[in-house]
Amino acid sequence: NIASDMTRRSLRGCLMVFVGLCASMRWTFLPVPSGTSRRDLLLRLPVATSVASPLAAIAVPSVQEVKQELLSLADETKRGTTASSDQKRRMSQLADELTSAAPVSTKSMLTGTWNLAYTTEKEVLSLIGDPGVDVYQKVDVEQGTLGNSIAFTDGKRFDVAGKIDTKARSGANDEAPYGLRSDFAFTGASLKVPPLQLPLPPFGAGWFVSTYLDENLRVNRDSRGDLAIYVRAPA
């Protein structure tokens, strides 16, 4: 009869809608233990989930959160002097996360005094075990000068001066990682042991790339494969 025919058409339409939903959505069925009643089975209806990747549900940390963890770990490892292999690996991961979100930077942003927060450079680490030792770098892009200084708590200090040439951002075919590249060559050095100041021959040349650079933080990768984190010194 007409009523039965309409019912069959209605059921057929519902079935087509159900098939369409199955084609466009992923369905996750909860496991049904043996002995489950028909009523319990009805309560275990399939749960539809979005087609979007599961990664979309994972909160992506903000740049500020990554910076905070980076600097906290730098403090925890005493600028890298006590860093374990796992901590070094985590620092490198955090640095890469910042690099992937790096803002557009200009050469002039490098100019200033930068305090060392973390490094993997063995020669520097051997000198800065005392947390009271100041380690900083002065950069003047316009003048093309670079200075590295280590000031010890007993009045001794070690200074290295050099020339710097900051180029356009490195490209994919460059030997350096992507970022603001600076080539440098040291031109002089001195060791101060009060009341004496001893001149030393200059040594060393290479490049470093600021893979992340903003108003207060700088992440460097250099030609020796070392990682360094700097924080801009207060004016």
Side-chain angles (χ1 to χ4, degrees):
N1 57 28
I2 296 177
S4 297
D5 186 52
M6 291 179 64
T7 300
R8 284 194 296 272
R9 290 181 182 179
S10 178
L11 289 173
R12 189 181 298 114
C14 290
L15 180 60
M16 293 178 66
V17 171
F18 176 78
V19 171
L21 284 173
C22 288
S24 62
M25 305 182 73
R26 295 173 181 170
W27 292 82
T28 303
F29 291 90
L30 300 176
V32 181
S34 59
T36 303
S37 67
R38 192 182 296 268
R39 175 179 177 279
D40 290 336
L41 186 61
L42 289 174
L43 293 176
R44 295 177 180 270
L45 292 173
V47 179
T49 59
S50 171
V51 181
S53 168
L55 293 176
I58 300 176
V60 178
S62 68
V63 170
Q64 189 60 33
E65 289 172 332
V66 175
K67 289 170 64 174
Q68 288 176 350
E69 183 179 351
L70 183 84
L71 294 176
S72 293
L73 190 53
D75 286 340
E76 183 181 334
T77 62
K78 296 179 173 58
R79 295 184 289 196
T81 58
T82 65
S84 65
S85 297
D86 287 342
Q87 288 172 323
K88 290 177 183 178
R89 190 178 304 111
R90 182 56 181 160
M91 285 294 290
S92 185
Q93 291 172 345
L94 292 169
D96 288 342
E97 286 183 35
L98 283 180
T99 298
S100 66
V104 176
S105 54
T106 60
K107 294 193 297 183
S108 62
M109 293 172 64
L110 275 175
T111 296
T113 301
W114 297 87
N115 292 324
L116 181 70
Y118 175 88
T119 185
T120 60
E121 188 174 343
K122 294 179 180 178
E123 293 82 356
V124 176
L125 290 173
S126 66
L127 299 172
I128 63 172
D130 182 349
V133 174
D134 291 327
V135 187
Y136 56 91
Q137 184 177 79
K138 288 187 176 182
V139 180
D140 190 324
V141 172
E142 187 174 346
Q143 297 296 322
T145 59
L146 169 73
N148 293 331
S149 298
I150 301 178
F152 300 94
T153 54
D154 58 1
K156 299 184 182 74
R157 62 180 296 124
F158 178 61
D159 297 287
V160 179
K163 294 292 185 181
I164 187 173
D165 180 20
T166 301
K167 296 180 172 61
R169 298 174 70 83
S170 301
N173 296 324
D174 200 335
E175 59 180 335
Y178 187 78
L180 198 61
R181 171 171 171 157
S182 298
D183 293 290
F184 66 88
F186 294 126
T187 57
S190 65
L191 176 64
K192 182 180 180 181
V193 182
L196 302 176
Q197 183 154 336
L198 309 173
L200 300 173
F203 60 92
W207 52 258
F208 64 81
V209 174
S210 299
T211 58
Y212 180 90
L213 175 63
D214 64 18
E215 294 81 1
N216 301 306
L217 184 72
R218 193 172 112 219
V219 176
N220 274 9
R221 301 276 189 181
D222 66 24
S223 49
R224 297 176 56 182
D226 284 310
L227 168 67
I229 311 296
Y230 291 91
V231 176
R232 190 183 296 276

